[in-house]
Amino acid sequence: MWRCALPPLLRYPTVDELGARAAALVARHPTEARLRRAGTSRAGNPLWLLSVGHGSRQALVVAGPHANEPVGGGTVLRLAERALADPGLTAGADATWNLLLCLDPDGLRRNEGWLRGPYSLGRYFRNFFRPGFGEQPEWLPDG
């Protein structure tokens, strides 16, 4: 049977963990990082936007547009940490990094059955979710 052993630091974060880790990051860097609710999902989950820096050049990075691809949330959190550690990426570049933690938190929640592992094809397929084409948040409405 196929198995994938990820090191503990590479474990996929859940929806709640993304918000908690972003809030902890803001608590450690209150002058450079801000967390706000940018919207609400269909099921009422918050869409969290983490902003780093105060520059006039605005960069937007959107994580989690596909419910079964959880790597984006951890990636934007790592990007935020990197930008906070290197002022050349914020003040030095006159940039603000706006990082949407997850575009489809409803779908990501439905995939949490396989996010924590153990990672196997069977566990993934038994707990896999991806919304139908018309329900995916990154697609424009018909018409």
Side-chain angles (χ1 to χ4, degrees), residues 5 20 39 42 75 83 89 91 105 124 133 135-136 138 143:
R42 290 182 185 122
T75 301
L89 297 175
Y124 176 75
F133 184 78
E135 298 295 316
Q136 294 184 29
E138 81 277 16

Side-chain angles (χ1 to χ4, degrees), residues 2 9 15 26-28 38 42 46 54 56 59 76 85 88-90 107 114 125 127 134:
W2 178 84
L9 293 177
V15 172
V26 170
R28 289 192 310 274
R42 290 182 185 122
H54 298 283
S56 64
V76 295
L89 297 175
T90 53
W114 65 267
F125 286 119
N127 295 281

Side-chain angles (χ1 to χ4, degrees), residues 51-142:
S51 297
V52 175
H54 298 283
S56 64
R57 296 173 50 187
Q58 302 291 314
L60 174 64
V61 180
V62 178
H66 302 130
N68 62 309
E69 299 170 355
V71 71
T75 301
V76 295
L77 288 172
R78 186 67 185 107
L79 178 57
E81 292 168 355
R82 179 76 173 93
L84 287 163
D86 183 354
L89 297 175
T90 53
D94 189 27
T96 300
W97 292 90
N98 298 290
L99 310 164
L100 188 64
L101 301 180
C102 185
L103 182 61
D104 187 6
D106 306 338
L108 183 59
R109 278 195 194 284
R110 292 186 64 179
N111 277 288
E112 288 182 354
W114 65 267
L115 291 181
R116 294 184 187 269
Y119 299 104
S120 69
L121 286 176
R123 186 175 173 89
Y124 176 75
F125 286 119
R126 281 190 301 278
N127 295 281
F128 173 88
F129 173 77
R130 177 115 176 217
F133 184 78
E135 298 295 316
Q136 294 184 29
E138 81 277 16
W139 292 103
L140 295 173
D142 290 338

